[in-house]
DNA sequence: TTGCTCCTCACGTCACGTGAGGTGGC
DNA sequence: TTGCTCCTCACGTCACGTGAGGTGGC
């Protein structure tokens, strides 16, 4: 019979605390090979030390326990490595966005108040090729990256002329709850919406369908936001504040128009986003 | 009377969710200027939008709410900036240790099992200059960085000859609970402990005192660990496993000797740590 | 008998998110 | 009257840490 290790010993050989080992037992991430049915004592096999070292390293790179469990249960080495690589890739993205957040903080502290122009305009109704979805705040970037290519492809297939930069509608709840309905759209040359919409296929499973819709005419307060998207709050603050102070805010989703966007250039400093706030009257 | 903003409006202007705003209210981080006593409705001042933008950025760089509160309450701009700078510095350290963790994970996956020699030796009793403290796992690095210079200074003051590299004793509970008593020491030329100990001053407030103590003679199983400290678990695994398999483990703290350490070179790959496990007999 | 190691609840942490159920003003 | 916005509990999340109180083997 092979030597068994108590929790205390196993803890010393793995540098995992006893409490952590209890937790890994309870969640099934790393189970002792034997639990004494009468005392409840946990006993580990010396061969589990290696696995424990892996768990410790995966936790050190903040992999969630549930994923660690999946990695450990992977059928072969390849599946295991793929799981780890996927997490490391997410970790890199996290690092990048933290770096961006630091830059954004320093920009807020060093730059004075932003003060670009606020314009008012009457936007006529428009026919647009649109895709809607329920999107979470932190997924909006990747959602757009998936959705706009589909819209351009759909415009091409239908031989519709795209007449301007892409935009999106954000319901108020998108801001207030951190998730909600978003509609991405491309303005296209006016056609009979009904005729074209009928051509629309059934769409792939689980994917929203591209539709032709008509955005209503609307009065808008408009400001252009320069820079990365996670600094949009500043422009929203300026724009919304003026609208609220003048007391002419109107209901309905807020529009963004991506004048210069990641498809045009990789440098966030060059991006330009028009933020359009519904108002009841133009001064 | 100035315009007030409802939570919903304030949420849209700041890109903070309503639930987050509730939470910031409850914890006192960002309180509405007015709460309707009958409806409980929260009302914000437009000037609070700027503060909210700062809070959002500080959260984006993972500053805890309690610290954000301190930063916002700072008496002057200088105190505020200092608080932020301190956090950013911690964030950088976090990034560095995450990078190290990634390297450590990749090393575990790519390198085969480590297999340096395990030796046994009878260690004679030794007079050492020592400092003890209750230390948490993640503070051990900075603790050592503070403590060894003090030990060397104390040795110099007393004209004691340091006869070898510094070491430390770690109680078993240090591993099992993630914190506990640690004793850092420098071996010194034998002298009469009592005579020298009496010279020891009262010590600064809240700081442990440098003492002369005698480490008992002991039989040890010994392995040299190459590389960074957070990979020590591998050497502990090999060493402890052999000790347990041979069934000759003995109680008492584990010793580490820092043969080549951060004071010698900045490259963790060059570090050498001797891990010494108490045993009851040498084979 | 005394330590020592081990055990199991149960609750705390942190920053919110998620409903459930209800209210006031247009 | 119907929506709409807002409210307050109360509980969940995640990976453990922190006691409290108790047990088995030397």
């Amino acid at each position: 019979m092979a030597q068994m290790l108590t929790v205390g010993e196993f803890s010393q050989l793995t540098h995992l605390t006893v409490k952590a080992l209890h937790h890994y037992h309870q969640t099934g991430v790393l189970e002792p090979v034997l639990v004494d049915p009468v005392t409840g004592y946990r006993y580990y096999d010396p061969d589990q030390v290696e696995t424990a070292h892996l768990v410790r390293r995966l936790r050190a790179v903040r992999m969630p326990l549930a994923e660690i469990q999946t990695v450990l249960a992977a059928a072969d080495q390849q599946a295991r490595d793929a799981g780890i690589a996927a997490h490391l890739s997410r970790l890199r993205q996290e690092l990048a966005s933290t770096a961006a957040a630091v830059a954004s903080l320093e920009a807020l502290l060093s730059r004075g108040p932003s003060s670009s122009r606020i314009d008012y305009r009457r936007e006529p109704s428009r026919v647009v090729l649109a895709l809607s979805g329920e999107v979470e705040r932190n997924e909006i970037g990747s959602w757009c990256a998936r959705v706009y290519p589909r819209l351009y492809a759909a415009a091409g297939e239908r031989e519709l002329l795209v007449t301007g930069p892409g935009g999106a509608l954000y319901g108020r709840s998108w801001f207030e709850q951190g998730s909600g309905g978003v509609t991405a759209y491309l303005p296209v040359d006016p056609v009979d919406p009904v005729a074209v919409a009928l051509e629309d296929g059934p769409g792939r499973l689980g994917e929203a369908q591209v539709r032709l819709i008509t955005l209503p005419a609307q009065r808008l307060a408009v400001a252009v936001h320069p820079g990365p998207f996670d600094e949009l709050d500043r422009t929203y603050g300026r724009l919304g504040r003026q609208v609220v102070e003048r007391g002419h805010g109107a209901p309905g989703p807020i529009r963004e128009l991506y004048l210069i966007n990641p498809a045009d250039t990789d440098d966030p400093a060059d991006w330009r986003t028009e933020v359009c706030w519904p108002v009841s009257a133009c001064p």
Side-chain angles (χ1 to χ4, degrees), chain A:
Chain A
M1 195 180 79
Q3 271 290 345
M4 293 290 185
L5 305 172
T6 65
V7 242
E9 291 167 335
F10 195 66
S11 166
Q12 292 162 33
L13 303 208
T14 60
H15 288 193
L16 293 165
T17 67
V18 171
K19 288 297 186 178
L21 290 171
H22 284 183
H23 193 235
Y24 298 161
H25 178 197
Q26 201 181 321
T27 54
V29 168
L30 185 58
E31 302 192 334
V33 285
L34 174 67
V35 178
D36 187 308
V38 49
T39 64
Y41 277 34
R42 296 164 174 86
Y43 294 98
Y44 294 84
D45 191 283
D47 289 338
Q48 296 185 280
V49 169
E50 293 268 302
T51 307
H53 288 162
L54 179 57
V55 171
R56 203 174 82 91
R57 278 159 181 73
L58 293 176
R59 283 299 302 141
V61 296
R62 293 192 285 282
M63 183 183 280
L65 286 182
E67 269 180 65
I68 293 180
Q69 199 166 356
T70 308
V71 163
L72 294 184
D76 49 43
Q77 191 66 30
Q78 213 167 5
R80 168 181 297 214
D81 289 353
I84 294 172
H87 178 72
L88 289 182
S89 146
R90 279 208 311 273
L91 194 65
R92 263 187 294 277
Q93 281 176 37
E94 230 185 87
L95 291 193
S97 87
T98 298
V102 171
S104 170
L105 171 61
E106 285 169 347
L108 186 78
L109 294 175
S110 68
R111 288 202 307 249
S114 57
S115 59
S116 68
R117 247 184 27 231
I118 294 178
D119 292 327
Y120 289 82
R121 72 166 180 247
R122 259 204 79 130
E123 185 80 359
S125 78
R126 253 177 212 294
V127 173
V128 299
L129 204 54
L131 254 170
S132 300
E134 286 285 313
V135 190
E136 306 250 316
R137 188 74 75 91
N138 47 5
E139 295 173 354
I140 187 66
S142 63
W143 187 79
C144 287
R146 281 201 314 279
V147 152
Y148 284 103
R150 278 189 64 199
L151 285 173
Y152 277 104
E157 284 169 24
R158 285 152 222 232
E159 297 184 355
L160 291 170
L161 189 65
V162 176
T163 58
L169 305 178
Y170 296 89
R172 304 300 169 114
S173 75
W174 201 75
F175 304 101
E176 296 174 13
Q177 308 194 50
S179 68
V182 179
T183 298
Y185 67 82
L186 296 180
V188 292
D189 246 2
V191 289
D192 179 1
V194 178
V196 182
L198 286 176
E199 292 175 20
D200 199 18
R204 272 162 286 182
L205 269 165
E207 283 209 319
Q209 290 206 26
V210 175
R211 301 163 301 149
L212 264 184
I213 60 176
T214 305
L215 300 186
Q218 214 163 21
R219 289 185 183 85
L220 298 169
V222 176
V224 173
H225 170 78
F229 297 129
D230 47 356
E231 294 181 16
L232 271 168
D233 57 349
R234 301 218 70 196
T235 296
Y236 272 72
R238 276 196 318 115
L239 183 58
R241 190 169 165 171
Q242 185 173 106
V243 168
V244 168
E245 275 169 359
R246 297 190 179 182
H248 59 189
I254 287 167
R255 300 187 191 184
E256 293 182 3
L257 278 179
Y258 304 107
L259 308 180
I260 303 180
N261 60 58
D264 302 312
T265 168
D266 278 341
D267 186 357
D270 293 334
W271 298 345
R272 294 291 178 273
T273 305
E274 204 175 63
V275 180
C276 309
W277 204 287
V279 289
S280 55
C282 296

